[in-house]
Amino acid sequence: MSEPAPGQPGARRGRKHIVPDAGSGPVARFACALLDLKREAGDPSYDRMRTELGAAASKSALSAATRGRSAPSWPTTWEFVRSLAVTGLGRDEETVRREWLARWEEAAEGQSRWGSDSAEGASSADRPGAGERMPSAGEPSPAPELPPDADPTVPAPSAEPAAVPAAPAVPAASAVPEPVAVPAASAAKTKTRRWGSIVVAATVLVVLGLVAAVVVLATPSARDKEAAAPHYPLPGDSSGFGGDGLPGDVTFPDGAKARYGQTFTKIWRLKNTGSVPWRSRFLQVAGGTTVLCPSPPRVPVPDAEPGQLVEVSVPVTPTGTGVCHVLWKMVDERGALVFPDRTGIFYQVTVTVE
């Protein structure tokens, strides 16, 4: 069984994708890198990336990753990159994962540091004009100039409003209250309380800082998690299709017929032919006609000791007629390929209306 080669891209219709400006920030630069990879893989549509190249992400999530507005999540990024670089271009999965994980972390960290431009200040209409002096507080406005032919003996109209009658004078003795003497003991208590509050606030800040430092140091980064992840294939790990004289196809062997609109269950028989126990493993869609024959993108593989046979089943509901050919590969709980050099297993059935 071999993995089908991805098809050539066809002409597509729809709105033209707007390419982000790579100079506008790390997120836009990362989106441009995703678009470059997409063009290198033949510029397949997002539907083809999902149905033929096995990208386990929604069409809207794949499209949003290339807009450069916000950094996509790592699972979305990996499905975008894996379908193009690994499935489409045939590159080494672990090498691709390490390279793009570093790029994604740089974009995610840059997004938190990249600030927006400050708001525009007041317009020129809100500011005094050139050479114009604004009167200061308490300064009377200048009187208007007299026309050249005005009679200087006639008082000019005042620029100030009519005077308001002054309030009755307040006796000088009651104008300023006598200062009240504060006892020295009271002032000392006030000062002591003030210093006590400062000490408490400083202690709280120090404790919060220590707690934050402990949380940061105790939380592993994505790079640390990647470094701690196993590198596949594991020494001594191996699998077989069928075994002990039993075939690998339990139900619906290649070329079998299935009914349109009726769910059928494909069952494979796998054998742990190595020396490594199987724990928390899955079969995951790696490509094929998943639109014609949709199914869960991932199904569990029962835990198996070395030499043990297990059966893996997947429900499929055909949505059209024709030949269904869907490729599956074994992965761990993180989605990493357990046997990266293997072509995987597949089912192939013919869907009819009868």
Side-chain angles (χ1 to χ4, degrees):
M1 301 180 190
S2 61
E3 182 174 356
Q8 297 297 324
R12 304 196 305 272
R13 300 177 62 185
R15 295 180 299 177
K16 183 178 179 181
H17 188 85
I18 300 177
V19 179
D21 180 11
S24 62
V27 175
R29 188 161 55 251
F30 182 71
C32 290
L34 292 176
L35 286 174
D36 290 341
L37 175 63
K38 188 169 179 285
R39 283 189 288 268
E40 186 180 357
D43 199 17
S45 67
Y46 296 117
D47 281 332
R48 285 193 60 239
M49 288 174 62
R50 296 176 64 248
T51 59
E52 297 182 24
L53 301 179
S58 67
K59 178 180 176 181
S60 59
L62 295 173
S63 176
T66 61
R67 293 175 188 161
R69 297 174 183 172
S70 61
S73 66
W74 169 243
T76 297
T77 300
W78 175 237
E79 290 303 316
F80 191 107
V81 172
R82 181 189 61 77
S83 64
L84 297 174
V86 179
T87 305
L89 298 174
R91 296 175 180 171
D92 178 69
E93 180 169 356
E94 290 304 316
T95 302
V96 171
R97 179 189 292 270
R98 285 193 295 269
E99 174 189 351
W100 281 92
L101 178 64
R103 290 188 178 189
W104 174 81
E105 286 182 338
E106 180 182 358
E109 293 172 1
Q111 179 177 244
S112 62
R113 296 194 306 265
W114 195 269
S116 60
D117 292 334
S118 58
E120 292 292 331
S123 66
S124 59
D126 298 329
R127 301 190 182 96
E132 179 181 355
R133 187 178 69 86
M134 299 299 290
S136 60
E139 180 182 352
S141 301
E145 295 186 8
L146 295 176
D149 56 349
D151 187 353
T153 61
V154 179
S158 175
E160 297 292 334
V164 178
V170 179
S174 61
V176 180
E178 289 289 339
V180 179
V182 179
S186 177
K189 290 181 179 180
T190 302
K191 186 175 182 179
T192 301
R193 285 196 299 268
R194 184 183 301 113
W195 277 107
S197 300
I198 294 175
V199 171
V200 171
T203 303
V204 170
L205 291 177
V206 170
V207 172
L208 291 177
L210 291 175
V211 171
V214 170
V215 171
V216 170
L217 293 175
T219 304
S221 65
R223 191 182 300 275
D224 295 333
K225 293 178 180 178
E226 184 69 16
H231 294 283
Y232 296 112
L234 298 176
D237 197 6
S238 182
S239 68
F241 187 69
D244 299 343
L246 299 174
D249 290 310
V250 180
T251 62
F252 292 88
D254 294 347
K257 291 185 178 181
R259 287 268 187 105
Y260 162 72
Q262 293 186 2
T263 299
F264 68 90
T265 300
K266 171 64 185 180
I267 302 177
W268 294 285
R269 182 183 289 113
L270 305 178
K271 183 177 181 179
N272 184 343
T273 57
S275 58
V276 178
W278 291 354
R279 299 288 185 269
S280 301
R281 297 192 178 186
F282 303 84
L283 285 184
Q284 179 172 285
V285 172
T289 54
T290 54
V291 171
L292 180 60
C293 288
S295 65
R298 176 185 290 188
V299 293
V301 175
D303 293 346
E305 300 297 327
Q308 184 179 352
L309 282 168
V310 294
E311 293 184 355
V312 185
S313 60
V314 54
V316 184
T317 305
T319 59
T321 58
V323 176
C324 281
H325 182 101
V326 181
L327 179 69
W328 297 74
K329 291 188 177 183
M330 188 178 292
V331 299
D332 65 8
E333 56 189 358
R334 301 180 303 113
L337 289 176
V338 175
F339 302 111
D341 300 329
R342 301 286 184 88
T343 56
I345 60 176
F346 62 84
Y347 69 79
Q348 180 171 313
V349 298
T350 302
V351 181
T352 64
V353 294
E354 300 179 354

